[in-house]
Amino acid sequence: MIIRNMVPDDRARVLAIYGQGIASGKATFRTICPAWEDWNSGHHPSCRFVAVYNEKVVGFTALSPVSDKAHYAGVAEVMVYVDEKYRRQGVGTALLRALIAAAPENGFWSLYSSIFSANTESIKLHEKCGFRTVGFRERIARDSSGSWVDTTLMEYRFPDEAVKEIHA
């Protein structure tokens, strides 16, 4: 398996894997996979990685802004998705570690994840990669079947000296 930067040709596999996450009901409140243009515009252009196994994209990670306010420019929300056939094989760990390594060089000082509390695999993955639980949101929204969902808030903080000043 190799981890590399996401390129435009990866879009079909990225959206297919994201669609699996939507279908699982454990990864996102979205019910419909967005068009590539919408997905692309909602994510930072840096820190996008894919995991490739036997020339096939089997997972990806990317960052979304948490706010359009300038003082939050170095804070981003993490997404990490792995094809259901390749889970529990280290793909998520490799992707998240690549993202953590690249984030401070791209001006990010805080990475944030809001994970469905029932998604214990994702919570364990984030803990394994150095994220800490900073809170919970109870009954934050309803899922596609109308059931209330709790989320676990997790954060990865970089020391000030690690972050390259590019967001001003």
Side-chain angles (χ1 to χ4, degrees), residues 28-29 116 137-144 146-151:
T28 179
F29 288 107
F116 284 23
R137 292 187 296 186
E138 295 180 13
R139 297 169 38 105
I140 191 67
R142 294 182 189 262
D143 65 15
S144 60
S147 299
W148 285 106
V149 175
D150 300 339
T151 57

Side-chain angles (χ1 to χ4, degrees), residues 20-143:
Q20 290 177 1
I22 293 170
S24 77
K26 292 178 24 173
T28 179
F29 288 107
R30 280 188 177 269
T31 57
I32 299 170
C33 199
W36 176 254
E37 293 75 19
D38 294 331
W39 187 96
N40 188 47
S41 68
H43 294 85
H44 286 289
S46 65
C47 299
R48 296 180 182 192
F49 298 100
V50 294
V52 180
Y53 182 74
N54 287 339
E55 300 183 29
K56 180 180 182 180
V57 172
V58 298
F60 72 93
T61 189
L63 296 175
S64 301
V66 298
S67 175
D68 60 0
K69 296 176 182 170
H71 49 271
Y72 290 118
V75 182
E77 184 172 4
V78 172
M79 77 174 346
V80 58
Y81 283 77
V82 177
D83 184 299
E84 57 196 14
K85 296 175 186 167
Y86 296 88
R87 294 183 188 151
R88 291 172 292 286
Q89 298 178 38
V91 176
T93 301
L95 284 165
L96 200 47
R97 286 184 175 155
L99 180 71
I100 290 167
E105 281 296 310
N106 286 280
F108 297 102
W109 61 80
S110 182
L111 302 180
Y112 152 86
S113 285
S114 178
I115 303 168
F116 284 23
S117 296
N119 191 346
T120 56
E121 289 178 9
S122 185
I123 291 169
K124 288 177 186 174
L125 166 65
H126 283 74
E127 287 173 342
K128 178 180 179 179
C129 292
F131 282 71
R132 65 186 178 104
T133 300
V134 294
F136 304 93
R137 292 187 296 186
E138 295 180 13
R139 297 169 38 105
I140 191 67
R142 294 182 189 262
D143 65 15

Side-chain angles (χ1 to χ4, degrees), residues 7-18:
V7 297
D9 285 347
D10 296 327
R11 66 181 168 256
R13 281 294 299 152
V14 166
L15 292 180
I17 294 166
Y18 189 48

